Amino acid sequence: MALYEHVFIARQDLSNAQAEGLIEHFGQILKDNGGDVSGSEYWGLRTMAYKINKNRKGHYSFLRSDAPSAAVQEMERLMRLHDDVMRVMTVKVGEHEEGTSAVVLAKQSRDDRGRGGRDRDRGDRPDRGDRPDRGDRPDRGGDRDRAPRPPRRD
């Protein structure tokens, strides 16, 4: 049997429980056809780069499997027929990586940092010491080195 990684995107109007139920459903299809699911992850509701079937977001799910090609083909066929699944991608790999995927690790590190942007307190500004007056700064542009404009013609 070969090792595969599957990613599929489900419609945005599903609940989280329904999206995770799809992972179990398609994992069971692999098991019924002689395969084994070695891991699965629910990546959550994510914004897509472009609309798919009038949906801007989708529930992303990830499966690792050790299955014969017939089982994978049957699961993909059923995924494409399922109304809630918008996209499917299956990749044959040499070996499965241990631990969680890079997508989950990136999400966890983003959550650990907290919200960035305007909500984050940056603290006080550092002391700038006694800085001299910079005066007129001709190196920063200005109109002093230009000739006056000619009058407009109407």
Side-chain angles (χ1 to χ4, degrees), residues 22-107:
L22 286 175
I23 297 172
E24 299 299 322
H25 173 70
F26 292 120
Q28 189 60 43
I29 291 170
L30 282 174
K31 290 176 186 174
D32 292 344
N33 289 304
D36 181 43
V37 176
S38 58
S40 65
E41 294 175 359
Y42 172 64
W43 290 348
L45 186 65
R46 300 171 61 101
T47 304
M48 296 184 283
Y50 55 90
K51 285 184 179 180
I52 300 175
N53 299 336
K54 299 181 181 177
N55 289 301
R56 192 62 77 194
K57 295 182 177 185
H59 291 276
Y60 282 68
S61 302
F62 176 71
L63 286 169
R64 289 185 179 113
S65 67
D66 183 12
S69 63
V72 173
Q73 289 174 349
E74 177 65 14
M75 183 192 72
E76 283 186 339
R77 185 185 75 81
L78 292 173
M79 279 184 171
R80 295 189 194 286
L81 291 174
H82 203 285
D83 291 335
D84 292 333
V85 178
M86 296 187 297
R87 285 287 192 273
V88 178
M89 182 177 71
T90 299
V91 179
K92 186 175 181 179
V93 296
E95 63 181 71
H96 289 302
E97 293 182 12
E98 294 297 320
T100 59
S101 65
V103 174
V104 173
L105 292 175
K107 186 176 180 182

Side-chain angles (χ1 to χ4, degrees), residues 10-27:
R11 286 191 347 233
Q12 67 184 2
D13 55 347
L14 297 178
S15 68
N16 291 352
Q18 289 172 320
E20 291 178 9
L22 286 175
I23 297 172
E24 299 299 322
H25 173 70
F26 292 120

